[in-house]
Amino acid sequence: MPDTPTRPLGAQISHMLKARGVDVIFGIPGVHNQEMYRGIEEAGITHVLARHEQGAGFMADGYARASGKPGVAYVITGPGLCNIMTPMGQAYSDSVSMLVISSCLDETSARRGQLHQMKDQRAAADTVCDWSLEATTPQAAYQLVNRAFQEMHSQRPRPKHIQVPISVLEGQAVAHDAGDLGLSDGTAQIDPVVIRDISQMISKTKRPLLVLGGGAKGGSDDIRAMLARCPIPVFTTYAGRGIVGSDYPYLFGSTLARPDSAAIFAQSDLVIAVGTELAEVDLWRDRLGQNATLVRIDIDPEVLSDTAGNTHRFNADARSVFRELAMVDDLPMRFDWTVEELATARARWRAETDAERPGIVPLCDALREAIPQDTMIYSDMTQFAYVAKEVWDMDRPGHWHHPYGFGTLGYATPAAIGGAIARKGAPTLAIIGDYGFHYTMQELGVAVELGLSLPIILWDNGKLAEIEDSMVRAQIAPNAVVARNPDFCKLAEAFGAKAAAPQTIGAFQTAVKEAFNADGPTLIYITPALKA
């Protein structure tokens, strides 16, 4: 019998990833992880060379959110892994499927002074992802890759980290087992008793409310079908926008953070929260505000482990539950809520948002009119996005991505690049502030290299305005909130990108439309001085 053919494990891993559906890898090669690059082209995978590992991680995040597949990144030992830990933390907080594979030193206990050495890089990464494990054999590497894909498909999506010692990457290994992982469509059979219990609770109420989080995106069609027959008013988290269309008459919108939304919940006699942690970054207060029964539907047992009284907890996915609820014949066809009281509340909250950050609401309205219907938007930690998240209803789920939980600056530009790669030819847009742009501006070079028709709207208010406002509210004399900015348009042009600095809202809309048709990225520079 001839010997089983072998090749370096680093090359085998790329072939395994290709067999698992990976078409793109983001990263930066180095002397420690170069063996992982031996098999990329041979396997038929596209590699996107980032300018910084933070950019590679955000690109993988943006790719995952746009494609529905895990985003994969290759990084080196030590600083490479440290640099991608911020995107890993963001992916963890926002439930994004990301697989980071790094090299690591063969031994760190008895030796010091090695290149890229950390005391314990595996443990460091473990603080910002679902799990961080070391594969000391080829079989362990294959098993961990399979485990990552299985869990990201069947459980709450989270980033994973696998590190492989340099000598193991360089060592010869037989190919992975190419057998089918047997992944299902993500739905499960629901106990009829669960559907009966939920439907009976709905039937007994007069003022129910439904709260939809990002975890309910996969059930959008079934949720809409159920609401067409049983019109429960809906609040969404920021990540849940678009699960219910903007034309739904009983939509309170993504206004949970409005302080007096608690008064709306106090009027309800049943609240159903689906696919949401009801976290601080969803509510910006300690509790939702309801006194009535709370029903929680989630696939994450941790979310269901809260100790709040009068709560019914169901470990299930939104698609499975609402697929069954949509077929229940005797759900109520009307409740005591009126379209007028919803419209009044929304108008009040829109006015509050406009008063808090003046001048941005009209820009949001103008931008919404200017973009193609299927545009996928990536925003950053900037006041433009904070306003848009409250006043801009989406007509479909999963089309506005923001660093909601971890709240990192610099997310939008590289994440939008990853999204544009995932959706070739489909419209993608980035919205970022002047300060956040500094964090990852170098990734503009990647968008130029790839010829991505990517509008990047840069909102320049000349300062860290949100922090300044917070300092003033806390009676702290604002300091360290103003940084000298470059000429952003010239900077973009130096990268080879296009640039525009419209002075009116009409010119702004024109610049956006032209950017979608350009043969590369366009930085669209706007300030609070933009006029109607």
Side-chain angles (χ1 to χ4, degrees):
M1 295 272 307
D3 292 337
T4 303
T6 63
R7 71 179 80 188
L9 175 63
Q12 297 283 31
I13 289 174
S14 292
H15 281 270
M16 182 181 190
L17 292 174
K18 179 65 175 180
R20 296 293 176 247
V22 175
D23 296 316
V24 181
I25 291 173
F26 304 89
I28 300 175
V31 293
H32 280 187
N33 72 344
Q34 64 188 15
E35 282 297 339
M36 291 154 60
Y37 283 75
R38 185 186 295 275
I40 290 180
E41 290 186 4
E42 184 182 70
I45 295 175
T46 298
H47 181 269
V48 176
L49 177 62
R51 301 302 189 263
H52 187 282
E53 287 89 357
Q54 186 177 81
F58 287 144
M59 289 178 202
D61 173 299
Y63 178 91
R65 298 193 200 208
S67 68
K69 302 193 300 183
V72 179
Y74 280 176
V75 297
I76 62 165
T77 316
L81 182 65
C82 287
N83 287 341
I84 204 171
M85 282 174 60
T86 295
M88 291 168 68
Q90 190 62 64
Y92 184 86
S93 69
D94 288 355
S95 302
V96 177
S97 296
M98 182 193 297
L99 176 59
V100 175
I101 302 179
S102 76
S103 53
C104 67
L105 294 171
D106 296 328
E107 195 282 320
T108 58
S109 298
R111 295 183 62 189
R112 291 291 181 267
Q114 300 177 80
L115 179 65
H116 302 329
Q117 185 166 11
M118 293 176 65
K119 291 174 67 175
D120 192 341
Q121 74 166 36
R122 184 212 60 77
D126 201 39
T127 63
V128 289
C129 65
D130 191 25
W131 48 255
S132 172
L133 296 170
E134 182 172 340
T136 58
T137 66
Q139 190 55 42
Y142 299 153
Q143 185 171 334
L144 289 176
V145 169
N146 277 343
R147 175 183 169 186
F149 277 82
Q150 286 275 13
E151 291 180 359
M152 286 188 285
H153 189 84
S154 61
Q155 301 176 11
R156 182 176 181 176
R158 298 285 205 188
K160 328 281 185 179
H161 168 238
I162 301 170
Q163 65 179 32
V164 188
I166 299 166
S167 63
V168 179
L169 287 172
E170 294 172 345
Q172 294 295 305
V174 298
H176 69 284
D177 179 1
D180 186 0
L181 285 178
L183 302 176
S184 68
D185 64 357
T187 61
Q189 293 296 319
I190 297 296
D191 186 343
V193 174
V194 170
I195 302 303
R196 183 200 65 195
D197 290 348
I198 296 175
S199 62
Q200 286 181 351
M201 282 187 276
I202 294 173
S203 296
K204 293 176 182 178
T205 65
K206 294 183 178 180
R207 293 177 72 85
L209 290 171
L210 184 60
V211 181
L212 300 174
K217 290 195 297 284
S220 177
D221 290 343
D222 296 299
I223 291 170
R224 293 186 183 202
M226 182 264 200
L227 293 177
R229 299 175 53 243
C230 179
I232 301 175
V234 171
F235 280 89
T236 74
T237 66
Y238 298 134
R241 285 185 298 159
I243 295 175
V244 174
S246 57
D247 58 348
Y248 182 57
Y250 291 95
L251 179 63
F252 275 111
S254 52
T255 52
L256 288 170
R258 288 288 108 197
D260 65 337
S261 71
I264 302 294
F265 281 96
Q267 299 173 36
S268 68
D269 52 9
L270 175 69
V271 177
I272 303 174
V274 189
T276 173
E277 293 175 315
L278 299 178
E280 177 187 69
V281 293
D282 296 320
L283 308 178
W284 295 111
R285 57 179 181 269
D286 292 336
R287 59 187 300 271
L288 196 56
Q290 91 292 345
N291 298 309
T293 298
L294 174 64
V295 174
R296 304 201 68 166
I297 300 170
D298 209 286
I299 64 171
D300 187 351
E302 183 179 350
V303 171
L304 303 176
S305 65
D306 69 274
T307 58
N310 202 18
T311 299
H312 297 259
R313 303 167 182 85
F314 300 101
N315 190 199
D317 67 279
R319 186 188 307 173
S320 300
V321 170
F322 283 89
R323 179 184 57 197
E324 299 298 325
L325 285 175
M327 295 186 290
V328 175
D329 292 329
D330 56 353
L331 290 177
M333 298 180 66
R334 61 179 302 167
F335 298 98
D336 287 355
W337 298 102
T338 66
V339 172
E340 290 74 22
E341 65 183 308
L342 268 75
T344 298
R346 293 214 61 181
R348 181 174 71 254
W349 293 334
R350 179 183 169 93
E352 289 175 359
T353 302
D354 191 29
E356 290 165 359
R357 301 180 180 98
I360 299 178
V361 169
L363 295 180
C364 292
D365 293 341
L367 180 59
R368 185 176 185 180
E369 292 175 0
I371 64 175
Q373 187 175 25
D374 189 36
T375 300
M376 185 166 284
I377 301 171
Y378 292 83
S379 60
D380 213 88
M381 301 296 285
T382 176
Q383 288 189 329
F384 194 113
Y386 303 154
V387 171
K389 287 188 301 175
E390 292 201 42
V391 303
W392 188 326
D393 294 326
M394 302 297 289
D395 61 358
R396 64 197 70 193
H399 273 61
W400 190 300
H401 306 292
H402 184 82
Y404 299 107
F406 211 41
T408 180
L409 285 160
Y411 170 80
T413 302
I417 290 171
I421 291 169
R423 304 171 74 238
K424 290 183 179 179
T428 304
L429 172 75
I431 300 172
I432 195 164
D434 57 304
Y435 203 83
F437 188 70
H438 281 270
Y439 278 54
T440 52
M441 68 171 71
Q442 67 274 7
E443 306 305 339
L444 187 58
V446 179
V448 172
E449 281 182 354
L450 299 178
L452 300 177
S453 301
L454 176 66
I456 301 172
I457 296 173
L458 194 155
W459 169 251
D460 183 3
N461 52 21
K463 61 181 71 175
L464 288 163
E466 193 71 11
I467 308 306
E468 181 182 66
D469 292 347
S470 180
M471 285 180 166
V472 170
R473 288 194 298 271
Q475 297 184 333
I476 299 171
N479 61 81
V481 294
V482 177
R484 182 188 177 102
N485 282 330
D487 185 322
F488 286 111
C489 290
K490 289 182 179 179
L491 179 67
E493 291 168 352
F495 274 104
K498 296 175 175 59
Q503 301 301 305
T504 67
I505 288 180
F508 170 52
Q509 291 178 308
T510 298
V512 170
K513 292 175 183 178
E514 291 176 348
F516 280 114
N517 296 314
D519 57 1
T522 304
L523 187 140
I524 302 172
Y525 176 81
I526 59 174
T527 74
L530 201 65
K531 302 300 182 183

